Amino acid sequence: MLSSLNYNRLPIPVERGVCSEWARGMGIPESGDAVIYTSCLYQLVPYINSFTGLMEKAPPSALGPLVNRLSHLVASFARVALKPPRSEVDRVNGIVRAIATLLIRNGVKFAYMPDEPYSGALLYELGFEDDFKEYFSSVVLSYFRSRGIKNVITIDPHTHHILTVVAPRFFGDLGLRVVNYMELIKGVDKAKVSRVVIHDSCLYSRYLGMRNAYRVLLEKAGVEHVEDPYVTGVSTSMCCGGPVESINPSLSNKVARLRIDALSKLSNNVVVACPICYANLSRNSGGRVKVLDLAEVLTGAQ
């Protein structure tokens, strides 16, 4: 991962162009008072799924060498080796476009960053704090400061957690005003989906105080969200298994399937608001449920 971050500022070796493909044709400027910071997480989902598939097929003793070899591949070859289906690439780009569309509909003016760096969240979440601090300081913070960026709109819980909790703990005041896109959405149209179950992001629900943000937006869109004290409770709901996929993909997939089992008892429409949850649950849904991102529901894309 460090090799890839040093090479192209992304946690897996893919072409950097995949991060900005979503913005084509939307007329969003490349500079402005506020920027949308995707951290390329949604856009990487198809490649993460392909990468996880390769890792799961390898015996445990071969995982280290496999990851090391892939991290040294040039981006263009890695993209071929990982072979994400075009439909998956289009789907995740559509999710980011849906988020941007919601912001535009609500009168939010923002720019995007074609060459934005990954936040480094995975380094921190895997316990590599020293590597995270070095990367965040020299790459992410340097990027924002060199461009005079002061206002940042995040679109996923991992990046939001890094910018609002983790990095300030290490570096103090970052000089950034960070807001999540859900906090800027005041009005939404009636959704096509009428009844769903929410799979909560652990970060949004337990650590960032944003558990109700997406519930309120769904209610405004006329969507009933089915709740259960054990399946969707703040302290009892399960993780999607995504955080361990880079270490033990088989375990990650088993956790995801258990989560699908529980969620499917409440609804066959599962709403997520996190790209890692989207990746892990959709990869393991087995056709039993339809995994929808919040932005897809709120824009009527799904």
Side-chain angles (χ1 to χ4, degrees):
M1 179 170 54
L2 282 172
S3 297
S4 182
L5 285 171
N6 290 331
Y7 173 72
N8 66 352
R9 296 181 297 175
L10 294 173
I12 55 177
V14 298
E15 295 174 359
R16 287 205 50 80
V18 305
C19 298
S20 57
E21 189 177 328
W22 67 271
R24 291 176 186 168
M26 292 199 73
I28 302 172
E30 295 183 13
S31 62
D33 291 335
V35 296
I36 188 170
Y37 183 30
T38 75
S39 193
C40 204
L41 263 188
Y42 274 105
Q43 302 93 306
L44 287 176
V45 164
Y47 304 93
I48 291 171
N49 283 343
S50 296
F51 191 66
T52 302
L54 288 175
M55 290 177 64
E56 190 171 23
K57 293 175 184 177
S61 60
L63 284 181
L66 172 63
V67 172
N68 188 56
R69 284 198 300 273
L70 283 174
S71 68
H72 285 85
L73 291 174
V74 295
S76 57
F77 181 71
R79 189 174 187 179
V80 174
L82 297 179
K83 296 180 181 177
R86 184 66 219 184
S87 59
E88 291 186 13
V89 175
D90 290 341
R91 177 79 182 273
V92 294
N93 281 333
I95 291 173
V96 183
R97 278 194 287 269
I99 292 171
T101 297
L102 286 168
L103 291 169
I104 292 169
R105 287 178 182 175
N106 279 266
V108 180
K109 297 185 182 302
F110 61 94
Y112 82 106
M113 303 175 287
D115 59 343
E116 63 176 357
Y118 172 65
S119 71
L122 187 57
L123 282 174
Y124 174 77
E125 290 165 4
L126 290 178
F128 300 113
E129 288 192 359
D130 290 340
D131 291 320
F132 166 76
K133 287 188 286 186
E134 169 61 27
Y135 172 79
F136 188 87
S137 175
S138 63
V139 176
V140 182
L141 201 52
S142 175
Y143 179 94
F144 286 141
R145 287 176 174 171
S146 67
R147 288 158 178 77
I149 294 170
K150 300 292 185 182
N151 298 292
V152 178
I153 302 170
T154 61
I155 68 171
D156 75 87
H158 297 270
T159 304
H160 195 75
H161 184 239
I162 289 296
L163 292 186
T164 61
V165 178
V166 177
R169 187 167 72 237
F170 291 134
F171 303 104
D173 184 4
L174 303 181
L176 300 173
R177 177 180 177 269
V178 182
V179 62
N180 187 271
Y181 87 94
M182 291 186 291
E183 300 174 274
L184 300 173
I185 306 304
K186 307 303 179 184
V188 293
D189 296 331
K190 184 173 177 57
K192 295 177 181 177
V193 179
S194 59
R195 192 170 189 265
V196 304
V197 60
I198 297 169
H199 167 75
D200 286 288
S201 151
C202 295
L203 287 173
Y204 275 152
S205 181
R206 295 172 182 164
Y207 302 103
L208 292 170
M210 299 185 68
R211 174 181 170 82
N212 289 327
Y214 34 90
R215 283 173 168 78
V216 169
L217 289 173
L218 287 171
E219 289 165 6
K220 285 184 177 181
V223 180
E224 176 192 1
H225 48 90
V226 185
E227 304 286 352
D228 178 273
Y230 296 104
V231 178
T232 62
V234 65
S235 60
T236 54
S237 59
M238 281 179 59
C239 175
C240 71
V244 298
E245 66 186 353
S246 61
I247 301 173
N248 191 330
S250 294
L251 175 61
S252 176
N253 289 335
K254 287 177 182 177
V255 172
R257 288 166 195 150
L258 287 173
R259 184 60 176 153
I260 291 292
D261 286 343
L263 293 167
S264 65
K265 292 179 172 63
L266 301 181
S267 174
N268 59 0
N269 291 313
V270 176
V271 170
V272 298
C274 167
I276 302 303
C277 296
Y278 173 80
N280 221 37
L281 294 181
S282 60
R283 187 174 65 243
N284 288 284
S285 66
R288 298 174 58 194
V289 298
K290 188 172 185 179
V291 181
L292 307 168
D293 187 82
L294 174 71
E296 294 179 305
V297 175
L298 297 180
T299 57
Q302 293 287 335

